[in-house]
Amino acid sequence: MNNKKVVLVVGAGDATGGAIAKRFAQEGFVACVTRRSADKLAPLVDSIRAQGGDAHGFACDARKEDEVVALIEQIESQIGPIEAFVFNIGANVPCSILEETARKYFKIWEMACFSGFLNAREVAKRMASRQRGTILFTGATAGLRGASGFAAFAGAKHGIRALAQSMARELGPMNIHVAHVVVDGAIDTDFIRDNFPEKYATKDADGILNPEHIADNYWYLHAQPRDAWTFELDLRPWSERW
């Protein structure tokens, strides 16, 4: 068994999640990353290893309790203790409330809220037994206010913020740091480049968020001394209106 510290990133996409995994790996953590398709994780795992880090990719449907329980058990028993956990699933899908279906609303909630509960609960059980750890949730502007056309996403993100608050109050006295990161602004991704070219054009003027800079802040939260823990951190470009 590898006794190195493990960071588990659920929702390790090509931008923010992947950057967070790389940032922790640079600090000596074993990066365990998940997506529903393991094939999509290969470039990230290979990149971390090429830079001298240690990484493992896992296919896991974060909405399925049996898969989540098995994943946490596998990592804890075969790789090492999960010292930091990052929940980074988004599901930012717009739709008018007049056209929203029950199926899609429920699926968005499952992805962006319920799966956060399942994964965080299982990790928290392990951390509580050790009396240490960090749990970080990626939030969004939608977790603070609901925009027109985003009722499902806003409901899910409000829910994950409430979950984080409750967990922070319960687990803080157990030496477990729980924090919620509000990412307020466009992120440097292929999606923004292809669908919002005017916004992407502001990249050179620091008008969109750099995933690596987001990741630096996640590491900052993990490394905070416990006499000055942050619960909620807002990240937005200098030019973003809020």
Side-chain angles (χ1 to χ4, degrees), residues 96-116:
S96 166
I97 194 67
L98 304 178
E99 301 172 356
E100 188 70 271
T101 65
R103 179 179 179 276
K104 193 170 77 171
Y105 187 99
F106 184 74
K107 183 177 181 180
I108 290 171
W109 172 79
E110 268 194 316
M111 292 172 63
C113 185
F114 179 66
S115 61

Side-chain angles (χ1 to χ4, degrees), residues 14-17 19-20 88 92 138-142 181-193 196 198-218 233-242:
D14 299 328
T16 303
I20 293 169
N88 188 61
N92 186 354
T138 298
T141 312
V181 182
V182 179
V183 181
D184 182 21
I187 302 173
D188 185 0
T189 62
D190 292 341
F191 176 80
I192 296 297
R193 182 195 62 201
F196 301 94
E198 291 185 3
K199 171 61 73 172
Y200 194 79
T202 68
K203 175 182 175 179
D204 291 341
D206 299 326
I208 59 177
L209 288 141
N210 182 326
E212 293 183 359
H213 297 163
I214 296 174
D216 285 338
N217 280 277
Y218 278 70
L233 180 67
D234 289 26
L235 299 176
R236 62 179 61 86
W238 65 277
S239 57
E240 186 76 19
R241 290 187 176 183
W242 62 292

Side-chain angles (χ1 to χ4, degrees), residues 26 28-29 75 101 114 143 158 189 211 222:
Q26 290 171 7
F29 277 66
I75 293 172
T101 65
F114 179 66
H158 270 71
T189 62
H222 171 71

